């Protein structure tokens, strides 16, 4: 940001000609229009193509409503768990030195490099009827995959790194002197955490939670594998979009999709705002 | 009074190491490591011949070839346009720049299923763009080209967000120095700017490629999913699971995991190399 | 409070070089002591060990005769001022100062109004009244430093420890704060230890200065004694500039380049052998004639005026580097001396260390 202003103010020595600038901007904007903006506009155009009445009808239809509730439920369970995990991991990694630290960081990042489908597969291998624990689970009448617990587990897996990878670099960069100062002043562990550490990382924390939540509500591949696709029971919103789409009920599919698109836009707005508060140095690659 | 303190050292100054590390390891094992280990055990279980049998199946081979091939092409497209967009965002001022800057992250925020159906509707033969291309004799949706389109969408922010901070940190003095030494703008770009940005570009490329290989949600709508034509590897895993062919699904997953771990290693080495080369971050 | 440090060792894992290598030090009640040394000498490690922020490998630290090493940081009741102050950025100045009182266990915690009153009192003590509502980012470096001090004093520490207290400040503020800290110490009477790499700061401010080098205390003495009689070559070289000249000692006399140099009474018993003579530039005497006892002959290479002093570089045959001599500007002779003049060199006050050391 800063350097662009400098570039604008500096002489022609290191600037491209006006023609080249224009061509580059036009090509870039056209590329983004084709791949980013038009799909986004299309979601809303298609959603409203059968009129506002049909749009809202698709949203308040019971299966859509159940999908929305399940999506929220999954996020409400998985995001706080990954938040606690992220805080614990960042505290251990950033405030202490121990052997194997960089291996641990790599392992925390692992879910990002695993295909979402594989994230679903592993829980089927573990809890499916022919999986390791399958016979025991069915003997005790416990359903995990093709039921809500499986969806939660798969979501936890794919969103696990978000908070941790945002907090670790932030807390490493802040060092340990604030905590040491609080300690010499007599503060205990919880007081140090809540009164000194947490206020220092709050924007980064919110940033991680925001991205974690967006992914938790929007996850498709992993959830699709473990869901079982029972309408009104184990369908999250993205899965509901798929079902409607495959039934050629395009207007309804895009209507539900538009809700998810609004969630995405809201996420981007909040993300931009949090970045202006200094968050977002850790997790621009995921 | 004991003069030797080593017998009973005071605790670490900052509390909570044991409990947070313990929790981290337990949580990570429970949700990531133990579940992932099932792939390894299941693969060992089926034996070399079973594993080899799955991988030599022409349908599997084509699905893997398609996933890696389309991901490679999409990552190359993104490397070119991602660099251009990052350059545009860092160096030029134009109306709507901040909006575009924020919008680059849309693929991170938009659920993949939404992206999938939107791109399909857009690039289908009767879609806004697809109809124009259709008139030119080009078919995008329900072909491997459609898969590339979806993976370009998914991978773009990886390249832009890797390269952008590096371009922002470039020292303009160096470019001015190059200019005073008689370099043309193109020389300065290819000999000064590009080498500085190259490691981050490779990182972004690798991240986009890795993501593309495993991508599922945005691809299955636009791909057409014809076996041996437009069926990607993650979809084949899902199909094998639906057939209760756990071994078949696991063998494909094991291969993909192995390759993505190698990729992860490559990215880490790349970043370490870059840190060494530039003397710290 | 009196602090006793006995044979303190600290190994840094892996590096092979101990950070502390047998430190013995006694700090009397109410004393103001400086730990002075080059970077990496272990002075900060020593200070942090006293605070309980580092765990020494072996040795003992006693506060008023009581074992402190096995006490947790929280229980040692030390006021620690960090090098970059470590002020809590999200708290106002008042909240920063009141923090230590507000985190006490409920049964020992003063009422909120009392915390407020005490914090304001301390801010008045450090002359920051009126800035209670500011945030650290809105303060100058010197103000932050004083907030950090007030915050440390709020817990009524028995020892005040300061890590490079003036390191991050510019020269003018540094001087003012120095005088102010000395004054504060005299009024409050805290046993105070501070770390610095600035010798001027240490010599001006401290009752006693401990020179730290390679994890050991080379010497601890009041500033004047330290400057006048450095105990080791390191202390000599570290404090001020010094010339090192090879001398031979035989028959109770020292010879520089074959010319006898009178030994001080204390050095009379020195064994015969090769020595290195440490002598400060202003303790060297120059004369135009080479008379018996006037010393070795040097060739004048350079004359520079520097403030109230004249600095002369002289080349001696027996060492490669020219030696430096300082004269007051008021000395009438120097303006006649030219480059190439031969001058006899004698020493008034010097110290001999064995050649091998």
């Amino acid at each position: 940001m800063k350097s662009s202003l400098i570039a604008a103010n500096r002489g022609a020595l290191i600037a491209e000609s006006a023609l080249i600038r224009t061509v580059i901007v036009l090509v870039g904007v056209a590329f983004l229009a084709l791949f980013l903006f038009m799909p986004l506009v299309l979601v809303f155009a298609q959603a409203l193509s059968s009129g506002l009445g049909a749009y809202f009808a698709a949203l308040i239809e019971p299966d859509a409503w159940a999908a929305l509730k399940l999506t929220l439920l999954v996020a409400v369970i998985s995001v706080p768990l990954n938040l606690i995990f992220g805080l614990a991991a960042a505290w251990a990694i950033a405030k202490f030195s121990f052997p194997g630290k960089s291996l641990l960081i790599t392992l925390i990042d692992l879910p990002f490099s695993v295909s979402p489908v594989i994230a679903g597969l592993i829980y089927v291998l573990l809890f499916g009827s022919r999986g390791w624990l399958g016979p025991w689970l069915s003997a005790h009448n416990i359903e995990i995959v093709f039921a809500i617990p499986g969806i939660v587990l798969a979501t936890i897996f794919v969103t696990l790194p978000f908070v941790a990878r945002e907090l670790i670099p932030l807390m490493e960069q802040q060092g340990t002197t604030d905590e040491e100062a609080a300690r010499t002043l007599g503060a205990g562990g919880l007081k140090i955490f809540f009164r000194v550490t947490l206020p220092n990382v709050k924007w980064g924390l919110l940033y991680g939670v925001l991205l974690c939540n967006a992914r938790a509500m929007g996850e498709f591949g992993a959830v699709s594998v473990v869901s079982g696709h029972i309408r009104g029971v184990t369908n999250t919103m993205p899965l509901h979009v798929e079902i409607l789409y495959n039934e050629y009920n395009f207007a309804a599919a895009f209507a539900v999709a538009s809700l998810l698109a609004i969630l995405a836009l809201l996420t981007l707005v909040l993300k931009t705002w949090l970045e202006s508060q200094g968050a977002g140095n850790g997790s621009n690659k995921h | 009074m004991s003069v030797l303190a080593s017998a009973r050292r005071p605790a670490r100054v900052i509390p909570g190491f044991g409990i947070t590390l313990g929790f981290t390891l337990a949580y990570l094992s429970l949700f990531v490591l133990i579940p992932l280990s099932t792939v390894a055990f299941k693969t060992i279980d089926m034996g070399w011949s079973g594993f080899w049998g799955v991988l030599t199946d022409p349908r599997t081979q084509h699905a893997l070839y398609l996933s890696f091939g389309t991901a490679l092409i999409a990552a190359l497209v993104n490397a070119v346009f991602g660099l251009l967009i990052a350059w545009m965002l860092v160096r030029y001022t134009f109306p709507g720049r901040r909006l575009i800057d924020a919008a680059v992250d849309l693929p991170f925020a938009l659920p993949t299923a939404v992206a999938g159906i939107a791109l399909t509707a857009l690039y289908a033969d009767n879609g806004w763009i697809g109809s124009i291309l259709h008139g030119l004799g080009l078919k995008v949706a329900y072909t491997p080209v459609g898969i590339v389109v979806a993976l370009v969408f998914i991978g773009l922010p990886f390249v832009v967000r890797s390269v952008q901070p590096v371009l922002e940190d470039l020292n303009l003095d160096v470019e001015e120095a190059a200019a005073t030494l008689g370099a043309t703008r193109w020389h300065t770009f290819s000999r000064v700017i590009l080498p500085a940005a190259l490691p981050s570009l490779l990182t972004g490329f690798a991240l986009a490629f890795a993501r593309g290989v495993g991508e599922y949600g945005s691809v299955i709508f636009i791909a057409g999913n014809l076996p041996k034509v437009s069926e990607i590897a993650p979809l084949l895993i899902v199909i094998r699971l639906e057939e209760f062919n756990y071994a078949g699904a696991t063998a494909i997953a094991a291969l993909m995991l192995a390759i993505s771990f190698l990729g992860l290693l490559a990215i880490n080495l790349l970043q370490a190399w870059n840190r060494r080369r530039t003397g710290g971050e | 409070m009196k602090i006793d440090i006995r044979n303190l060792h600290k190994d840094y894992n892996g590096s092979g070089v101990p950070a502390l290598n047998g430190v013995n030090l006694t700090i009397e009640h109410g004393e103001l002591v400086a730990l002075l040394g080059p970077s990496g000498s272990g002075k900060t490690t020593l200070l942090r060990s006293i605070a309980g922020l580092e765990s020494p490998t072996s040795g003992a630290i006693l506060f008023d005769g009581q074992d402190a090493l096995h006490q947790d940081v929280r229980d040692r009741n030390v006021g620690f001022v960090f090098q970059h102050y470590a002020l809590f950025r999200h708290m106002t100045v008042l909240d920063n100062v009141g923090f230590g009182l507000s985190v006490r266990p409920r049964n020992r915690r003063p009422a909120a109004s009392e915390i407020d009153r005490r914090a304001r009192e301390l801010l008045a003590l450090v002359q920051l009244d009126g800035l209670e509502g500011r945030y650290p980012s809105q303060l100058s470096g010197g103000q932050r430093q004083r907030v950090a001090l007030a915050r440390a004093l709020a817990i009524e520490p028995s020892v005040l420890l300061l890590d490079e207290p003036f390191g991050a400040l510019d020269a003018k503020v540094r001087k003012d704060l120095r005088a102010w800290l000395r004054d504060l110490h005299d009024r409050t009477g805290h046993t105070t230890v501070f770390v610095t790499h600035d010798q001027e700061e240490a010599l001006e401010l401290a009752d006693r200065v401990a020179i730290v080098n390679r994890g050991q205390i080379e010497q601890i003495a009041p500033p004047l004694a330290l400057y006048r009689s450095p105990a080791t070559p390191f202390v000599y070289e570290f404090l001020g500039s010094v010339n090192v000249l090879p001398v031979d000692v035989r028959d109770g006399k020292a010879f520089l380049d074959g010319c006898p140099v009178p030994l001080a009474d204390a050095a009379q018993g020195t064994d015969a052998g090769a020595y290195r003579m440490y002598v400060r530039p202003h303790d060297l005497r120059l004369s135009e004639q080479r008379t018996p006892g006037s010393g070795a002959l040097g060739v004048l290479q350079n004359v520079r005026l520097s403030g109230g002093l004249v600095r002369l570089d002289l080349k001696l045959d027996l060492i490669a580097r020219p030696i430096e001599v300082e004269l007051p500007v008021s000395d009438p002779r120097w303006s006649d001396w030219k480059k190439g003049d031969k001058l006899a060199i004698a020493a008034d006050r010097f110290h001999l260390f064995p050649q091998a050391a």
Side-chain angles (χ1 to χ4, degrees):
Chain A
M1 229 100 314
K2 216 184 292 164
S3 64
S4 68
L5 296 177
I6 298 167
N9 292 336
R10 282 209 177 177
L13 200 57
I14 58 160
E16 292 79 41
S17 71
L19 177 70
I20 291 176
R21 281 167 176 254
T22 312
V23 169
I24 288 178
V25 171
L26 285 180
V27 170
V29 171
F31 185 86
L32 291 170
L34 283 178
F35 285 94
L36 292 192
F37 293 112
M38 286 181 71
L40 188 64
V41 172
L42 180 132
V43 170
F44 292 100
Q46 292 279 335
L48 297 168
S49 61
S50 304
L52 269 180
Y55 178 74
F56 286 112
L59 295 185
I60 58 168
E61 182 255 336
D63 287 347
W65 198 237
L68 175 66
K69 281 199 286 194
L70 180 58
T71 294
L72 291 177
L73 175 72
V74 169
V76 160
I77 298 170
S78 56
V79 174
L81 281 175
N82 281 340
L83 166 64
I84 294 167
F85 167 75
L87 282 170
W91 185 268
I93 288 169
K95 302 294 176 195
F96 303 94
S97 57
F98 54 93
K101 196 183 201 173
S102 52
L103 176 68
L104 182 59
I105 296 174
T106 309
L107 289 179
I108 289 172
D109 265 352
L110 204 56
F112 279 161
S113 47
V114 171
S115 169
V117 167
I118 297 176
L121 165 79
I122 56 180
Y123 288 105
V124 176
L125 292 181
L126 206 53
F127 301 118
S129 57
R130 299 180 191 186
W132 280 4
L133 302 174
W136 187 87
L137 290 171
S138 57
H140 291 79
N141 246 343
I142 303 170
E143 279 188 88
I144 291 185
V145 288
F146 312 128
I148 293 171
I151 298 176
V152 173
L153 284 172
T155 306
I156 288 176
F157 181 95
V158 292
T159 60
L160 181 133
F162 281 102
V163 178
R165 69 144 45 206
E166 182 61 32
L167 286 182
I168 291 167
L170 184 62
M171 278 166 63
E172 274 181 338
Q173 175 208 327
Q174 289 183 341
T176 53
T177 46
D178 277 17
E179 285 78 13
E180 284 176 355
R183 195 72 172 163
T184 62
L185 293 169
L190 290 177
K191 280 191 174 126
I192 294 176
F193 176 74
F194 282 107
R195 296 198 46 188
V196 175
T197 310
L198 200 57
N200 277 339
V201 300
K202 64 181 171 194
W203 298 121
L205 185 79
L206 285 176
Y207 192 86
V209 166
L210 179 76
L211 298 181
C212 183
N213 178 65
R215 182 74 191 265
M217 289 191 173
E219 178 53 29
F220 178 77
V223 169
S224 168
V225 172
V226 294
S227 141
H229 304 274
I230 306 161
R231 272 187 107 129
V233 182
T234 61
N235 261 354
T236 60
M237 281 171 77
L239 297 177
H240 192 57
V241 168
E242 184 198 19
I243 287 192
L244 292 171
Y245 187 86
N246 287 343
E247 289 169 350
Y248 300 101
N249 192 352
F250 292 142
F254 278 104
V256 178
S258 75
L259 278 191
L260 291 168
I262 290 170
L263 172 75
L265 291 176
L266 204 62
T267 302
L268 285 188
V269 170
L270 284 173
K271 181 172 178 286
T272 308
W273 177 70
L274 285 173
E275 278 164 2
S276 74
Q277 301 293 324
N281 295 316
S283 62
N284 52 15
K285 295 170 220 156
H286 49 80
Chain B
M1 184 62 50
S2 83
V3 176
L4 275 175
S6 52
R8 197 162 54 92
R9 298 262 289 278
R12 291 170 192 259
V13 176
I14 300 173
F17 177 64
I19 187 164
T20 53
L21 186 66
F23 179 77
T24 302
L25 292 175
Y27 191 94
L28 200 61
S29 304
L30 204 60
F31 289 106
V32 176
L33 302 180
I34 294 171
L36 267 180
S37 70
T38 57
V39 174
F41 286 113
K42 188 85 190 167
T43 308
I44 293 166
D45 227 27
M46 73 180 82
W48 180 247
S49 62
F51 183 65
W52 193 244
V54 174
L55 296 186
T56 49
D57 169 42
R59 187 171 168 189
T60 309
Q61 285 187 340
H62 189 273
L64 286 166
Y65 161 77
L66 187 67
S67 277
F68 282 94
T70 51
L72 183 68
I73 295 168
L76 285 171
V77 171
N78 275 329
V80 173
F81 286 94
L83 177 63
L84 182 136
I85 288 165
W87 179 263
M88 168 182 107
L89 290 173
V90 171
R91 287 302 176 92
Y92 303 154
T93 46
F94 53 92
R97 187 178 61 97
R98 292 198 52 190
L99 182 77
I100 288 178
D101 194 10
V104 165
D105 283 333
L106 182 71
F108 284 159
L110 193 70
T112 52
V114 178
I117 63 169
L119 288 167
T120 310
L122 193 61
Y123 287 90
D125 288 350
N126 58 354
W128 295 348
I129 300 173
S131 57
I132 301 170
L133 296 174
H134 188 65
L136 302 169
L138 286 170
K139 202 170 153 53
V140 175
Y142 315 122
T143 71
V145 183
I147 301 174
V148 173
V149 167
L151 296 184
V152 166
F153 173 87
I154 287 299
L156 181 69
F158 289 101
V159 176
V160 177
R161 294 302 186 225
S162 295
V163 175
Q164 199 175 5
V166 176
L167 291 184
E168 271 169 6
D169 287 349
L170 279 187
N171 191 348
L172 295 176
D173 292 347
V174 177
E175 288 175 48
E176 286 189 335
T180 60
L181 294 169
T184 63
R185 196 60 193 144
W186 170 249
H187 278 136
T188 307
F189 179 78
S190 59
R191 306 264 302 268
V192 177
I193 298 168
L194 197 59
L198 192 63
S200 66
L201 188 62
L202 284 174
T203 304
F205 170 83
L207 289 168
F209 175 68
R211 175 70 197 264
V213 171
E215 179 56 22
Y216 177 72
S218 60
V219 174
I220 54 159
F221 296 97
I222 204 170
N225 306 331
L226 271 178
K228 294 203 229 174
V229 177
S230 54
E231 183 181 67
I232 55 166
L235 177 64
L236 191 56
I237 294 178
V238 172
I239 289 171
R240 294 297 183 226
L241 269 180
E242 281 167 359
E243 297 166 354
F244 291 103
N245 182 357
Y246 285 12
T250 306
I252 303 170
L255 188 74
M256 289 179 67
L257 279 179
I259 293 172
S260 63
F261 290 161
L262 287 179
L264 199 66
L265 189 68
I267 292 171
N268 281 341
L269 289 176
L270 205 63
Q271 281 166 346
W273 169 66
N274 188 33
R275 271 197 296 278
R276 254 202 322 280
R277 205 181 60 136
T278 56
E281 303 218 24
Chain C
M1 180 151 69
K2 181 180 171 183
I3 305 170
D4 271 306
I5 295 163
R6 292 183 192 161
N7 203 22
L8 208 60
H9 281 83
K10 172 149 180 93
D11 300 326
Y12 267 131
N13 13 334
S15 68
V17 187
L20 298 178
N21 193 10
V23 171
N24 286 290
L25 183 63
T26 299
I27 295 159
E28 298 297 338
H29 177 80
E31 225 184 351
L32 178 54
V33 169
L35 302 178
L36 175 66
S39 61
S41 60
K43 56 190 191 301
T44 294
T45 307
L46 178 57
L47 191 78
R48 288 171 60 87
S49 298
I50 298 173
L53 294 168
E54 303 267 354
S55 326
T57 319
S58 66
I61 297 176
L62 309 179
F63 285 179
D64 275 344
Q66 299 296 311
D67 172 38
L69 200 56
H70 300 110
Q71 272 183 325
D72 189 84
V73 197
R74 296 163 74 188
D75 306 324
R76 288 199 201 184
N77 200 29
V78 293
F80 198 96
V81 177
F82 289 80
Q83 185 173 4
H84 299 288
Y85 320 135
L87 294 179
F88 305 130
R89 281 165 292 164
H90 59 284
M91 292 182 203
T92 61
V93 166
L94 196 68
D95 289 342
N96 261 287
V97 176
F99 182 86
L101 296 175
S102 72
V103 296
R104 281 191 182 166
R106 194 149 308 184
N107 55 358
R108 294 199 294 123
R109 191 188 308 161
S113 58
E114 171 66 7
I115 295 177
D116 187 84
R117 192 188 63 75
R118 296 263 287 277
R120 284 174 195 276
E121 208 174 86
L122 279 161
L123 282 173
L125 179 71
V126 299
Q127 297 159 359
L128 287 176
D129 348 34
L131 299 183
E132 295 85 359
R134 298 256 187 111
Y135 285 91
S137 61
Q138 299 167 313
L139 301 178
S140 72
Q143 289 170 335
R144 284 180 207 175
Q145 155 69 245
R146 283 182 281 158
V147 174
L149 199 59
R151 185 178 72 175
L153 291 172
I155 59 167
E156 293 170 341
S158 39
V159 190
L160 191 57
L161 305 172
L162 305 98
D163 187 6
E164 295 275 5
F166 312 113
L169 302 170
D170 60 47
K172 169 81 176 74
V173 182
R174 193 184 271 239
K175 272 216 151 105
D176 292 348
L177 267 179
R178 213 186 273 170
W180 175 85
L181 180 67
R182 178 74 231 186
D183 179 57
L184 186 79
H185 174 262
D186 292 346
R187 276 190 288 154
T188 59
H190 282 106
T191 306
T192 305
V193 185
F194 72 99
V195 154
T196 180
H197 63 269
D198 180 340
Q199 41 174 297
E200 196 186 312
E201 197 168 285
L203 297 177
E204 188 182 316
L205 195 51
D207 295 326
R208 285 193 302 156
V209 177
I211 305 289
V212 188
N213 181 38
R214 295 180 183 199
Q216 288 176 320
I217 306 280
E218 294 258 346
Q219 187 177 7
I220 174 159
L224 189 62
L226 198 67
Y227 189 76
R228 286 242 171 117
S229 334
T232 66
F234 175 83
V235 178
Y236 237 121
E237 290 184 35
F238 190 70
L239 290 181
S241 43
V242 67
N243 296 297
V244 185
L245 301 164
V247 294
D248 290 314
V249 174
R250 39 181 201 271
D251 314 327
K253 280 183 184 156
F255 292 88
L256 171 63
D257 203 7
C259 305
V261 194
L263 284 175
D265 293 343
Q268 284 301 333
T270 310
D271 290 338
Y275 286 82
R276 285 186 299 163
M277 174 169 130
Y278 280 69
V279 55
R280 300 220 182 271
H282 56 81
D283 288 333
L284 283 168
R285 211 161 11 88
L286 296 177
S287 55
E288 287 159 40
Q289 281 91 34
R290 189 171 187 179
T291 55
S294 66
L297 215 53
V299 180
L300 187 61
Q301 285 197 322
N302 203 358
V303 183
R304 285 166 293 146
L305 200 57
S306 162
L309 293 172
V310 182
R311 293 214 162 93
L312 305 101
D313 293 335
L314 287 107
K315 176 78 181 77
L316 267 67
D317 280 343
L318 72 170
I319 47 170
R321 267 214 352 228
I323 61 165
E324 192 178 77
V325 181
E326 279 174 10
L327 296 175
V329 177
S330 55
D331 192 309
R333 300 168 301 164
W334 65 270
S335 53
D336 299 333
W337 291 342
K338 303 181 301 295
K339 213 172 154 179
D341 282 358
K342 287 189 174 161
L343 298 170
I345 301 163
D348 286 337
R349 179 196 290 278
F350 58 88
H351 214 95
L352 298 182
F353 295 103
Q355 188 68 265

